[in-house]
Amino acid sequence: MSNTSENPKPSSSSAKMTLKTSDNELFEVEEAVAMKFCTVKQYFEDEKDSDVAARGSTTVIPLPNVHSAVLATLISYGKKLPQSNAVADNHEEEETKKKERKKYEQGLLKNLMPGELLDLISAANYLDFKEGLEFFNQALADHIQNKSVEYVRKFFGIKNDYEPHEEEKYREEYAWAFEGVDED
């Protein structure tokens, strides 16, 4: 089964690249979006053949550490980012785009399960997708803010290595750190 990322403004002149995920799904992605993933960009820079970029759509770039559902989300997020060399024509247009992006980000996070957030962070890190990594890390930080130690341990799958009396001692000594914490 093949996935083709949607292009809101199809253009016959926009170059495409094919990315292959760990579950053997193929994604045809616009070059501008794919190049936001530094791992993909490096793939072409490392190639000795200068014609590789021209053959981008026929070259399949393997991404063994990225699952298809995760890549689809990262591609979608990458499309919402402004082009690095694009300059807004006016302040109103820039503000409108910022509001649209903020609305998209809120909707994206609303539909994510906590485990999916960890997968997105891992994939963004592997792809060296700086904007995505920054956004999803901040979302994770916001998610665990004011959560109990138990919640954070469970969320990350961390085993408690304190003896009950040791933990009680630390809770008494640093009681201020446990004030106002959600006990989810």
Side-chain angles (χ1 to χ4, degrees):
M1 184 168 150
S2 175
N3 287 325
T4 303
S5 61
E6 297 174 20
N7 182 359
K9 298 177 189 171
S11 166
S12 58
S13 64
S14 66
K16 302 259 185 196
M17 297 184 159
T18 304
L19 308 177
K20 183 177 180 181
T21 62
S22 61
D23 53 340
N24 296 318
E25 294 286 334
L26 298 176
F27 287 79
E28 194 172 273
V29 183
E30 290 179 27
E31 181 180 12
V33 174
M35 288 301 173
K36 291 179 183 182
F37 306 143
C38 293
T39 302
V40 172
K41 188 175 184 178
Q42 190 67 41
Y43 180 88
F44 286 105
E45 290 175 359
D46 286 347
E47 290 293 324
K48 303 288 186 223
D49 182 4
S50 61
D51 194 35
V52 169
R55 295 184 293 120
S57 63
T58 60
T59 302
V60 176
I61 304 167
L63 301 175
N65 295 344
V66 182
H67 191 271
S68 59
V70 174
L71 183 60
T73 301
L74 292 177
I75 291 169
S76 175
Y77 185 73
K79 286 180 178 182
K80 295 294 182 184
L81 297 175
Q83 298 298 324
S84 58
N85 58 356
V87 178
D89 292 337
N90 61 43
H91 183 70
E92 286 180 24
E93 182 180 326
E94 187 177 321
E95 288 301 313
T96 301
K97 287 183 179 184
K98 282 182 182 179
K99 287 178 183 177
E100 288 173 5
R101 180 175 169 195
K102 185 77 166 170
K103 184 177 178 181
Y104 167 78
E105 289 174 342
Q106 289 172 342
L108 175 63
L109 292 176
K110 184 176 153 184
N111 295 322
L112 284 179
M113 299 299 290
E116 293 172 318
L117 191 54
L118 293 174
D119 291 341
L120 286 164
I121 290 170
S122 178
N125 185 50
Y126 171 75
L127 292 170
D128 197 7
F129 179 31
K130 292 173 183 26
E131 296 90 347
L133 188 58
E134 182 179 311
F135 171 70
F136 292 113
N137 276 332
Q138 184 61 55
L140 177 63
D142 293 344
H143 179 76
I144 64 172
Q145 183 177 4
N146 292 328
K147 300 294 185 195
S148 68
V149 173
E150 292 79 15
Y151 178 86
V152 174
R153 282 183 186 140
K154 184 177 178 183
F155 185 85
F156 288 106
I158 299 171
K159 181 182 175 231
N160 182 3
D161 57 354
Y162 287 110
E163 295 293 327
H165 69 279
E166 290 177 312
E167 188 163 354
E168 185 60 36
K169 176 186 166 198
Y170 288 123
R171 285 181 180 274
E172 289 173 9
E173 189 173 337
Y174 301 104
W176 57 268
F178 298 93
E179 292 174 3
V181 174
D182 296 340
E183 293 297 328
D184 303 302

